[in-house]
Amino acid sequence: MVVVEEAKNVNLPLLRTIFLKERQRTFTEQDTSEFKLEDFDKQTQGEYILSALIDDIPVGFISIWMPNNFLHHVYVDNESQGKNIGTQLLKAAIQKTAFPITLKCLVSNTKAINFYLRKGFVEKSRGQSGNGTYILFELTKEIQ
């Protein structure tokens, strides 16, 4: 059974590891040797973080920049993907924010794009970042 709760300090080491490993696995078009464990702390600074736990072990997280209802990071450990954990993280995040909720996703991350589209996110625009073209997605209603 998956429990989604506010991230605790005791779980941060495993969340850092998930963040690093999944970024290395997903963003192969980038120089993944540049990715570091401490990137988690830098990239989630000031954000509200929810973690997904199975048997008290973190298997994923979502970080939210609350002033804009912006989902900054959504990561689930590779071995735990396909088990509805991303959906549970999104539902928990929706309970903490207000609509509309936005996020950016690199065009190269087709698995994530398909996930967000299935959950009801709508493409609002596209733009360029230092890592490539991204899609700005928006969600305006509850997900299934």
Side-chain angles (χ1 to χ4, degrees), residues 5 7 10 12 33 54 64 68 72 74 76 81 92-93 105-106 115 120 138:
E5 63 183 22
V10 69
L12 292 180
S33 69
I54 296 178
I64 310 160
N68 296 343
H72 191 197
V74 182
V76 176
Q81 291 180 13
C105 186
L106 290 176
F115 172 76
E138 182 180 75

Side-chain angles (χ1 to χ4, degrees), residues 27-52:
F27 300 113
T28 55
E29 73 281 359
Q30 297 176 32
D31 181 1
T32 59
S33 69
E34 298 285 321
F35 297 167
K36 308 289 182 222
L37 278 174
E38 56 269 18
D39 292 345
F40 175 86
D41 300 291
K42 292 175 189 170
Q43 293 194 32
T44 62
Q45 186 175 3
E47 297 181 348
Y48 183 75
I49 303 171
L50 293 165
S51 57

Side-chain angles (χ1 to χ4, degrees), residues 1-3 52-59:
M1 183 174 125
V2 177
V3 173
L53 309 168
I54 296 178
D55 297 327
D56 293 323
I57 299 170
V59 295

Side-chain angles (χ1 to χ4, degrees), residues 73-137:
H73 297 289
V74 182
Y75 285 93
V76 176
D77 181 71
N78 189 47
E79 294 178 17
S80 299
Q81 291 180 13
K83 298 179 181 174
N84 211 31
I85 294 168
T87 300
Q88 290 181 56
L89 283 165
L90 279 177
K91 286 181 177 182
I94 288 168
Q95 298 305 311
K96 298 288 181 185
T97 59
F99 293 113
I101 296 169
T102 58
L103 65 85
K104 291 178 181 175
C105 186
L106 290 176
V107 170
S108 61
N109 193 354
T110 55
K111 186 174 182 180
I113 290 169
N114 290 330
F115 172 76
Y116 296 129
L117 290 171
R118 284 194 315 273
K119 297 302 164 193
F121 282 84
V122 176
E123 181 177 331
K124 296 303 285 184
S125 64
R126 291 184 181 226
Q128 292 294 320
S129 73
N131 297 318
T133 303
Y134 66 83
I135 300 172
L136 175 66
F137 282 108

Side-chain angles (χ1 to χ4, degrees), residues 17-32:
T17 300
I18 290 168
F19 186 60
L20 176 61
K21 287 184 176 178
E22 290 309 309
R23 287 174 66 220
Q24 289 171 331
R25 193 183 62 73
T26 303
F27 300 113
T28 55
E29 73 281 359
Q30 297 176 32
D31 181 1
T32 59

